[in-house]
Amino acid sequence: MINKSMCSSGVVKENKLVYKVKATHFADETADTDKNRYGIGAGIGVRPGSFRVDGFRKSFMADVEAPSVRPPEAITIAIHRVRGLKGQKGDVVNTTIRVEFGEKTIGESPKVDCTLDSSAEFNYNATLNCTYDDPIALDEIANRPVVLTFIEVLPKEKRQKEEKTILLGQCTVDLLPLLKGETTQKYTLVINSLPGSPLEQIPPDFSRPEVDVTISVNDALLDESQLNDGNLFAITMESLYSPPDSWTQTGQQYHFVATLPIPVSGEKEFTLVYPSGQLKPPIDKELPNKQKKWAIPGSAQGPSQYINDSFISTSPIEDEDGDFKEKEDREHRSYAESEKNRVCWNTERRCYLEASAIKNFQDSVAKCRLWPVEIFRIPQASAGKGKKGRHYKEDHDASISFHGVAFVDLAPLLYPGVSKIHGAYKVYAYTDHLLNEKTGGKRKTGLAEEASKVAFNLLNRNSTSPSPKKGAKDEKKDLKKGRPGSNAQVRGDEVTQAQKSDTASEYDQQVPVNTEGQQYVDCKSYIKLEFALTRPLVPKRPPEELARRVAEYIPPRPMFPKRTDGATRAVEDYHNQVATVANLILDEFRELFSDEIKEGENETAGLLESRRHKLIYQLNSSGKYFAFKEQLKHSVVKIVREKYLKTTTFEDRQEFQTFLSELYVYLIDQMHVSLGSVLALEDQPPIPKPLTDSAQLKHFAREAEVNENFALAERYYQERIARDKLDADSWFDYGTYCLYVNDVTKAEECFKECISLDQKHIYGLLLYGVVCTMTEKNELAETFFEAATCVNPKSILAWTMLGLYYDAVSNEIGAEMAYMEANKLNNQAAVSAAKDVREDEVDKEKEEKKDSVAEPPEPLPDADTAQDPELIPSSEGGLSVPGPPPELIIPTPTSAANSAKSSQRNNHEKRPSVLKKPGAPSQMKGKEQGSSIHQSRPTSTQKSQHDTPQPTDENLEDMPLREPTPVPTWSVYMQAVDWLLEVKAVPFTERALAHELLLPTGGPTAAYYIALAHLMLQKREFADAEENLKEALQLEHQNPDGWALKGHVKYLTGDLNTARECYERTLSFITDASEMHSIYLRLASIYLQEARFSEAKSTFLMACKRSPSCVSWLGVGIACYRLGELSEAEDALSEANILNNNDAEVWGYLSLVCLNTGRQLEAEQAYKYALKLNLDSEELIEEIKRKQEEVGFGNPQF
């Protein structure tokens, strides 16, 4: 950044810049104000070892010509008019405006008279040249404001050589829009008063002085490629909270400095320094909307140091990205931000990152996600003069103490679509060993020494009474004498340069100690930061693009058939119009002759003819005949054009008459066809509805899966699709079945069909992504997983599945982002569920109060009972000691913790299922849901150490109880496991269970072992399933799902006695298992095999009562037949036959019943159907044949 006034040696001639090289090292220039444009200042970058070429730092190539770059671009700052200025003397103010950028004045306007009530036209332009041979130039455009200083020029008095001036006010102009591609930006800025200015006397209710300014360039500062490839990075240093207690407002005062590295090019890093931290007491409360300060304000003072319309963002703690965001940290944060000292910067530093810098930054974050932010303090310069002031500077130049470091996790900036992170980060005691360990060996030493030198020079230069400056020669003398110079002065508690190790092994051998910095850890200090980018480093595909790509891969199927044009369509339209007109005529006929028809007169031919004439007369006289004819005209014209292809006039009249005759005959024939299809002389019998609906067919299919009758299950799934081919859920369920039987190709086609019918079917999108992952179509899988999160951004399952996919492809950053979003939604669901519970309880209490008011008052107890508190009647009929009302009981920390533990221990006893469906916590109601929400911290009402008065008995009732923080009952992984087990997605289930095992919850739970056993059961690994169930039942011996699964394992391995015991124990529990139908069926079948027909009958009836099916009614029929209850057996078998008339075993037992009741015809028909359907039970066939021989009929072959 340079112009003619800012560079003494650079001259613009014919768009060529001539350079004059100075061979002075940059480190020796920091004390020179005019030469220090790039090296010092708040947030200024320091690049050691570089040289200056008249304001531009070049390499050591002094004799090499500069590369060809874009000529400088002139930035015009146009000051149009000023309103509302007030001077010291009189109403007319003679004003001039000084325009400054950085430390240089780039122009001063002519003097113009201004008044308080009118606007003054300045129309002055100042020019600033932007050069392109150094990335720092564009960085300064983003980071420095143009300062406008308004100066009142007083008239000369007698014997006064120069005019006297008074500073009225200032404002700052932001050049940032020019780096966003804008060529013109207009501002209306408020002029801020300076100390002692007449503008301070303007009443608050009066309008403030304003100035109209326009910044413009002829061509955009950045071309399209630079706009697309570059980025603007803003780092906001907010405040340090809970600092060491030794920091006070009295005694020696200090400046507080923060520093961090940032890349500005593809090779080098830039050191950002924030030197202006101020220690503020807790009585100095923070404003709700804190405005950001300029990192390099230049000559701006007072309110002008703040960036216009730029405020520090606030967000809930749970939405932050830092370290102190957990529930247990909220009390500490609340106390630290309201009751303790703090160090405030509230400064924003903007950086322009070119493409190479962005690549370098991304690579650095990917290799080491933790970014160091160092914090320390340096003493304030002495206000003394002469020798004393010089010695103070010599002794305290760049002296650092309380060296701490915070590690900011910048990995969220690599999440797709994330452009900002904001949070509170823990401050550690700085050591080189810690820095090397946290950054994975990428950074050996810190930036404190370098940053302290920069900060000290800036603060020393900006002080009102700066100390005498020490030149390079004095510094060399100091080094020779052994004095602590600017590069070596470190406090005794800090690690010195001599103590720093060069190798990792030395770090391991000797770990230095920073006792001063340890105070940060003891006080739980944290610093709030914000990192914001104009555009995300990793762009996120918008929902529209994802929907488009899904539609490209799987085109949506139209819900209605395509319209057919041409002759067929014309004839269909004619049929529809004829049917419509026929219905209208029929309505007219009924309206005219309904009374005659009701009287039941004999309908003779004459009467019918009379009615016809009356109807025709009514249609003609009312105009309806003409309307009907017009209604039919359009369809007739379409037939002529589309079927007969007649679009021109007939030249031959005979040909025209022939065509009319042919058309008339065709239209009459088609009219009869249409009338025959819509009118009938007799009522047609209605088509009977199916006896089973889609839900029942799905139940039958799942039942067949459990019984391992896969052919029957597939037939049920296919029947559901045949009934409604446009039902996406039917295709989805069939796809899950194909996935279960490992037919991945057919499953993929089913999920494709599901998505084509419903592009927003979230479960179809997820399972198609699973199938694509299994077939190694990773790019396609990512598209569908992301599309699911866009269809329902609040779906915990969708975000968890996306994270599991990223785990499968080793995308750690993406997986972390997805899991973070899923956990956030899970916490929100828990809070919402707790809120619903509280609202239900409040409504219930209100209803109870209303009922108690409506009831008549109970008689008062006698005097003896009233005087003795131990004899008050209780609600249970006895006597009890009265306690405080329930709403006044405040739980102590111990009781709250115990209640949380008991709630967690009894959690499985109060829910119907071990694995709850996703989103189930929000569906729980009443006390059952309240018991599943744990208290993460006890309520606390004692704050005597902060002089807070204790609540008394009078105001205890009025104090609101502190609500416990809800905690989700189920992790996001277990919710995903529940769904994945249901849809049989084995690979993702294993991955989700692995994540659940790694959670820091004190080891695997019973629910984890049960889910793992369920997975092993699906994989037919019975030994592993039994081992996991053993672990689960040791943790929760009364878990019904554990015993049910153990029964299934024993049943499938042939251990029927143990299976029966497990099933019976499951049924004995108060709480049912999550899936009871299969338990009833298998237990009843065991009873049948053991000839315990009465128990089998009752168990099968329980299954029929819960969810009837052909198998359950067949079991009832078999048990009744064996018990000799033939009538009941026939009824049960008939119910089974209604639900499935293709079951050969049902027909076989029906034949036996008919043989025993002597019905020959029915016995023979049932026997023939059993053989036709391939009855495969040899025992049943032999039993039927023996019965046939016994009764002498039943077999047609006899």
Side-chain angles (χ1 to χ4, degrees):
M1 184 76 56
I2 190 168
N3 63 11
K4 295 180 181 179
S5 62
M6 296 173 63
C7 179
S8 59
S9 301
V11 182
V12 180
K13 294 182 179 180
E14 298 179 359
N15 292 332
K16 295 181 179 179
L17 196 59
V18 182
Y19 299 101
K20 181 178 178 181
V21 180
K22 296 181 180 180
T24 304
H25 194 277
F26 170 68
D28 297 332
E29 293 181 330
T30 55
D32 191 344
T33 303
D34 294 336
K35 301 176 183 178
N36 194 26
R37 294 183 54 257
Y38 295 100
I40 62 174
I44 297 182
V46 180
R47 298 196 293 176
S50 59
F51 285 76
R52 179 184 307 283
V53 183
D54 279 0
F56 295 91
R57 267 170 286 168
K58 298 292 181 178
S59 63
F60 295 93
M61 303 169 60
D63 297 329
V64 181
E65 294 184 1
S68 176
V69 295
R70 176 179 170 180
E73 183 68 33
I75 301 175
T76 303
I77 300 99
I79 304 172
H80 302 295
R81 63 193 62 84
V82 177
R83 296 179 294 274
L85 272 183
K86 179 180 180 181
Q88 186 175 16
K89 295 182 180 180
D91 296 334
V92 179
V93 185
N94 190 251
T95 309
T96 182
I97 303 176
R98 185 168 63 233
V99 184
E100 299 171 284
F101 182 76
E103 301 161 5
K104 293 296 182 179
T105 301
I106 60 177
E108 188 168 323
S109 72
K111 303 170 186 175
V112 177
D113 291 336
C114 306
T115 61
L116 184 62
D117 300 330
S118 61
S119 60
E121 299 291 335
F122 275 80
N123 296 325
Y124 170 73
N125 294 342
T127 304
L128 177 68
N129 287 335
C130 174
T131 57
Y132 293 89
D133 49 359
D134 195 332
I136 303 300
L138 295 175
D139 185 75
E140 288 197 357
I141 288 288
N143 197 44
R144 296 187 180 218
V146 173
V147 181
L148 305 182
T149 305
F150 297 82
I151 305 171
E152 179 183 6
V153 182
L154 299 178
K156 289 184 180 180
E157 297 180 357
K158 293 180 180 181
R159 298 180 183 180
Q160 184 177 345
K161 295 181 180 180
E162 297 181 358
E163 296 176 333
K164 186 178 180 181
T165 60
I166 297 176
L167 299 181
L168 297 178
Q170 285 182 331
C171 64
T172 54
V173 182
D174 195 352
L175 301 179
L176 186 64
L178 300 180
L179 290 180
K180 295 182 177 180
E182 301 290 338
T183 57
T184 303
Q185 181 69 34
K186 295 181 180 180
Y187 292 104
T188 298
L189 303 173
V190 174
I191 302 173
N192 302 302
S193 62
L194 293 173
S197 168
L199 298 181
E200 293 182 332
Q201 303 173 6
I202 299 177
D205 54 344
F206 276 57
S207 60
R208 310 301 297 173
E210 295 179 340
V211 58
D212 294 336
V213 182
T214 300
I215 57 174
S216 61
V217 291
N218 293 329
D219 297 323
L221 294 183
L222 301 177
D223 56 27
E224 187 175 356
S225 62
Q226 288 177 309
L227 286 173
N228 294 332
D229 298 337
N231 211 328
L232 287 170
F233 197 13
I235 301 100
T236 303
M237 195 71 58
E238 298 183 19
S239 298
L240 172 69
Y241 294 98
S242 189
D245 297 332
S246 58
W247 294 4
T248 61
Q249 300 286 331
T250 59
Q252 173 68 45
Q253 297 301 303
Y254 296 88
H255 292 293
F256 301 91
V257 184
T259 180
L260 71 156
I262 202 73
V264 292
S265 64
E267 300 177 355
K268 299 181 180 180
E269 283 187 341
F270 200 62
T271 301
L272 303 187
V273 182
Y274 298 79
S276 56
Q278 298 178 1
L279 182 64
K280 293 187 177 182
I283 195 173
D284 187 2
K285 299 298 183 182
E286 290 183 327
L287 297 176
N289 294 327
K290 295 177 288 185
Q291 196 168 4
K292 297 180 181 179
K293 293 181 180 178
W294 287 102
I296 310 177
S299 61
Q301 303 177 34
S304 298
Q305 294 181 341
Y306 294 91
I307 305 174
N308 295 323
D309 300 327
S310 181
F311 298 91
I312 293 176
S313 61
T314 58
S315 58
I317 294 178
E318 57 270 14
D319 294 339
E320 291 182 354
D321 303 288
D323 301 323
F324 285 84
K325 62 179 180 179
E326 302 300 330
K327 302 169 189 62
E328 56 269 17
D329 300 323
R330 295 181 184 178
E331 289 185 6
H332 169 66
R333 287 188 59 172
S334 176
Y335 175 69
E337 294 175 14
S338 59
E339 303 295 336
K340 295 192 69 175
N341 294 337
R342 67 184 184 279
V343 177
C344 295
W345 286 275
N346 294 339
T347 301
E348 179 183 80
R349 174 61 164 92
R350 302 165 178 170
C351 303
Y352 173 75
L353 303 182
E354 57 184 11
S356 59
I358 294 175
K359 181 65 168 59
N360 184 19
F361 180 63
Q362 284 185 272
D363 294 342
S364 300
V365 175
K367 293 176 183 177
C368 178
R369 58 195 301 160
L370 297 180
W371 206 262
V373 178
E374 298 179 42
I375 304 136
F376 56 89
R377 74 178 188 182
I378 57 176
Q380 292 187 6
S382 173
K385 296 183 180 180
K387 188 174 181 180
K388 181 179 179 181
R390 183 175 71 253
H391 280 300
Y392 182 87
K393 183 175 187 300
E394 291 173 357
D395 294 338
H396 294 80
D397 187 12
S399 173
I400 62 176
S401 60
F402 286 92
H403 193 182
V405 61
F407 295 98
V408 182
D409 187 0
L410 295 184
L413 290 179
L414 300 183
Y415 297 168
V418 175
S419 60
K420 183 178 74 172
I421 61 174
H422 176 266
Y425 296 90
K426 181 179 180 181
V427 181
Y428 299 88
Y430 175 85
T431 60
D432 287 341
H433 175 80
L434 178 65
L435 180 67
N436 183 73
E437 180 184 6
K438 289 285 188 179
T439 59
K442 303 297 181 183
R443 302 182 187 275
K444 302 295 184 182
T445 59
L447 307 171
E449 293 182 7
E450 181 182 359
S452 65
K453 176 183 175 182
V454 173
F456 190 88
N457 280 280
L458 173 68
L459 296 168
N460 184 38
R461 181 193 62 192
N462 288 343
S463 62
T464 56
S465 301
S467 303
K469 300 176 183 177
K470 180 175 63 175
K473 295 182 179 179
D474 296 333
E475 186 177 351
K476 293 178 181 178
K477 292 179 181 178
D478 293 338
L479 294 175
K480 291 179 181 179
K481 293 178 181 179
R483 284 185 185 175
S486 61
N487 293 328
Q489 177 71 20
V490 182
R491 294 291 297 263
D493 294 331
E494 191 65 62
V495 183
T496 62
Q497 184 71 23
Q499 292 175 323
K500 296 177 182 177
S501 302
D502 295 330
T503 63
S505 61
E506 292 177 353
Y507 279 121
D508 298 335
Q509 295 172 1
Q510 182 179 1
V511 179
V513 178
N514 181 355
T515 56
E516 279 186 345
Q518 185 63 28
Q519 296 185 36
Y520 289 117
V521 181
D522 297 339
C523 295
K524 298 181 67 175
S525 303
Y526 61 92
I527 185 169
K528 294 185 72 172
L529 301 167
E530 179 184 271
F531 291 77
L533 291 155
T534 303
R535 293 189 308 277
L537 294 176
V538 181
K540 182 179 181 180
R541 290 181 287 186
E544 296 78 11
E545 180 185 351
L546 289 170
R548 179 181 57 80
R549 295 193 64 178
V550 169
E552 288 178 357
Y553 291 129
I554 305 176
R557 174 182 291 185
M559 298 303 295
F560 302 99
K562 295 182 179 180
R563 296 182 60 182
T564 56
D565 295 326
T568 304
R569 178 63 182 172
V571 174
E572 290 178 356
D573 188 29
Y574 175 72
H575 288 173
N576 295 332
Q577 295 298 329
V578 168
T580 303
V581 171
N583 287 325
L584 293 175
I585 295 174
L586 185 58
D587 293 339
E588 190 72 21
F589 179 84
R590 289 170 177 168
E591 183 179 353
L592 289 175
F593 308 109
S594 59
D595 296 336
E596 298 179 5
I597 296 175
K598 290 180 181 179
E599 292 176 359
E601 297 181 4
N602 294 328
E603 296 183 353
T604 61
L607 180 60
L608 295 177
E609 185 67 18
S610 173
R611 290 177 181 174
R612 188 176 72 84
H613 286 294
K614 289 181 180 180
L615 177 62
I616 293 175
Y617 174 78
Q618 179 65 24
L619 294 176
N620 281 295
S621 60
S622 63
K624 293 181 180 179
Y625 178 81
F626 179 77
F628 295 157
K629 185 172 65 173
E630 290 296 322
Q631 186 172 349
L632 290 171
K633 178 191 287 187
H634 180 68
S635 58
V636 173
V637 171
K638 286 178 64 177
I639 288 178
V640 172
R641 292 177 178 176
E642 299 294 338
K643 181 173 180 60
Y644 291 95
L645 304 178
K646 300 294 184 180
T647 57
T648 59
T649 57
F650 289 88
E651 298 179 357
D652 187 0
R653 186 173 180 80
Q654 183 63 32
E655 183 182 357
F656 177 60
Q657 292 296 329
T658 303
F659 172 74
L660 288 180
S661 300
E662 182 180 352
L663 177 63
Y664 177 76
V665 172
Y666 179 78
L667 292 177
I668 293 298
D669 292 340
Q670 293 301 319
M671 181 191 70
H672 289 300
V673 171
S674 176
L675 293 176
S677 62
V678 297
L679 297 178
L681 297 178
E682 297 180 358
D683 294 334
Q684 297 292 335
I687 299 175
K689 294 182 178 180
L691 297 175
T692 55
D693 56 12
S694 180
Q696 284 181 301
L697 290 176
K698 181 179 178 180
H699 169 65
F700 298 161
R702 292 293 178 89
E703 181 185 69
E705 285 182 31
V706 172
N707 295 331
E708 298 183 348
N709 190 347
F710 298 116
L712 181 61
E714 185 172 10
R715 187 167 65 82
Y716 280 127
Y717 283 122
Q718 292 175 350
E719 185 175 348
R720 290 184 70 206
I721 295 174
R723 289 188 181 183
D724 187 1
K725 294 182 179 180
L726 300 181
D727 184 15
D729 291 334
S730 299
W731 287 102
F732 174 80
D733 293 332
Y734 188 31
T736 60
Y737 163 77
C738 296
L739 202 61
Y740 178 54
V741 297
N742 204 25
D743 192 348
V744 180
T745 303
K746 189 177 289 186
E748 182 179 1
E749 294 301 322
C750 290
F751 296 136
K752 274 187 178 181
E753 197 69 25
C754 171
I755 298 171
S756 68
L757 293 172
D758 184 1
Q759 296 276 299
K760 295 184 178 181
H761 196 285
I762 185 170
Y763 300 125
L765 293 169
L766 291 175
L767 272 193
Y768 188 73
V770 170
V771 171
C772 291
T773 306
M774 294 171 64
T775 55
E776 298 184 355
K777 301 175 184 177
N778 293 331
E779 183 179 356
L780 193 60
E782 183 177 7
T783 299
F784 282 88
F785 282 124
E786 288 186 3
T789 61
C790 292
V791 168
N792 186 3
K794 300 297 183 182
S795 172
I796 300 173
L797 176 63
W799 285 106
T800 307
M801 291 296 294
L802 179 61
L804 294 174
Y805 161 76
Y806 282 137
D807 272 336
V809 296
S810 302
N811 185 349
E812 296 180 1
I813 299 295
E816 179 182 318
M817 177 270 298
Y819 292 145
M820 186 181 300
E821 187 67 24
N823 285 314
K824 175 183 173 182
L825 293 172
N826 198 22
N827 292 330
Q828 291 177 357
V831 173
S832 177
K835 183 179 179 182
D836 294 340
V837 171
R838 289 194 297 269
E839 291 177 354
D840 292 342
E841 291 177 352
V842 170
D843 295 340
K844 186 177 180 180
E845 289 177 0
K846 290 181 179 179
E847 293 178 359
E848 291 178 353
K849 289 181 180 179
K850 290 180 180 179
D851 295 340
S852 62
V853 171
E855 293 176 358
E858 296 181 358
L860 295 175
D862 55 14
D864 297 335
T865 306
Q867 291 176 359
D868 190 353
E870 297 183 358
L871 299 179
I872 296 178
S874 68
S875 59
E876 298 178 359
L879 299 177
S880 62
V881 179
E887 63 270 13
L888 298 183
I889 297 177
I890 301 177
T892 62
T894 305
S895 64
N898 292 337
S899 64
K901 291 180 180 179
S902 63
S903 174
Q904 186 175 6
R905 183 175 60 251
N906 298 329
N907 189 28
H908 293 290
E909 300 177 6
K910 296 185 179 182
R911 65 175 184 273
S913 172
V914 171
L915 296 179
K916 197 175 296 299
K917 297 290 187 294
S922 63
Q923 299 173 358
M924 299 174 63
K925 296 182 180 179
K927 297 181 180 179
E928 182 178 349
Q929 185 174 2
S931 65
S932 66
I933 300 173
H934 307 161
Q935 293 184 359
S936 64
R937 60 171 182 259
T939 58
S940 175
T941 57
Q942 298 183 359
K943 293 186 179 179
S944 58
Q945 64 272 25
H946 308 307
D947 297 332
T948 302
Q950 294 296 315
T952 61
D953 294 338
E954 289 79 5
N955 59 12
L956 184 60
E957 186 175 359
D958 298 333
M959 292 181 58
L961 292 181
R962 186 170 146 205
E963 295 292 343
T965 301
V967 177
T969 305
W970 294 105
S971 69
V972 296
Y973 307 113
M974 289 305 294
Q975 295 183 35
V977 165
D978 188 22
W979 181 75
L980 289 169
L981 286 174
E982 184 180 354
V983 298
K984 292 90 175 176
V986 174
F988 276 71
T989 309
E990 295 174 336
R991 197 169 290 113
L993 285 171
H995 278 283
E996 176 68 18
L997 187 61
L998 296 176
L999 287 179
T1001 55
T1005 61
Y1008 166 80
Y1009 284 118
I1010 290 174
L1012 186 57
H1014 196 170
L1015 177 64
M1016 295 298 105
L1017 197 61
Q1018 288 185 356
K1019 297 171 66 176
R1020 317 274 311 166
E1021 298 176 2
F1022 301 122
D1024 294 338
E1026 187 173 356
E1027 188 67 27
N1028 285 292
L1029 288 172
K1030 181 179 179 182
E1031 296 289 340
L1033 293 175
Q1034 286 180 355
L1035 294 174
E1036 290 188 18
H1037 191 68
Q1038 296 183 1
N1039 192 305
D1041 284 286
W1043 288 106
L1045 283 177
K1046 185 176 181 180
H1048 293 330
V1049 172
K1050 295 298 183 180
Y1051 182 87
L1052 294 174
T1053 54
D1055 189 355
L1056 299 183
N1057 290 330
T1058 308
R1060 173 174 48 76
E1061 293 175 358
C1062 293
Y1063 290 145
E1064 288 174 347
R1065 176 170 294 198
T1066 303
L1067 296 180
S1068 65
F1069 291 133
I1070 298 176
T1071 304
D1072 289 340
S1074 57
E1075 208 285 311
M1076 294 295 296
H1077 188 72
S1078 59
I1079 297 173
Y1080 288 134
L1081 294 184
R1082 287 180 172 175
L1083 177 59
S1085 65
I1086 293 174
Y1087 286 150
L1088 282 181
Q1089 295 181 42
E1090 295 178 350
R1092 297 168 60 178
F1093 303 120
S1094 179
E1095 291 91 336
K1097 175 184 175 182
S1098 61
T1099 306
F1100 274 124
L1101 283 174
M1102 285 192 290
C1104 294
K1105 182 179 180 181
R1106 193 179 188 95
S1107 49
S1109 66
C1110 174
V1111 176
S1112 60
W1113 281 116
L1114 173 61
V1116 175
I1118 295 174
C1120 292
Y1121 176 77
R1122 299 305 179 190
L1123 291 171
E1125 301 171 354
L1126 299 182
S1127 177
E1128 294 182 5
E1130 185 176 1
D1131 292 341
L1133 292 172
S1134 299
E1135 289 290 337
N1137 204 344
I1138 291 173
L1139 294 177
N1140 182 13
N1141 58 5
N1142 290 322
D1143 193 310
E1145 194 171 0
V1146 174
W1147 288 109
Y1149 276 101
L1150 279 174
S1151 178
L1152 281 175
V1153 171
C1154 294
L1155 289 173
N1156 281 277
T1157 55
R1159 291 177 291 174
Q1160 180 178 357
L1161 179 61
E1162 290 89 339
E1164 291 181 358
Q1165 289 179 341
Y1167 179 67
K1168 285 191 295 184
Y1169 274 113
L1171 297 179
K1172 183 179 180 180
L1173 295 173
N1174 300 321
L1175 180 62
D1176 55 358
S1177 177
E1178 297 294 338
E1179 295 179 358
L1180 180 58
I1181 293 176
E1182 292 297 328
E1183 184 178 1
I1184 294 174
K1185 289 183 178 179
R1186 288 196 301 270
K1187 197 66 180 177
Q1188 289 173 347
E1189 293 175 358
E1190 179 182 343
V1191 298
F1193 60 86
N1195 190 339
Q1197 296 179 355
F1198 288 170

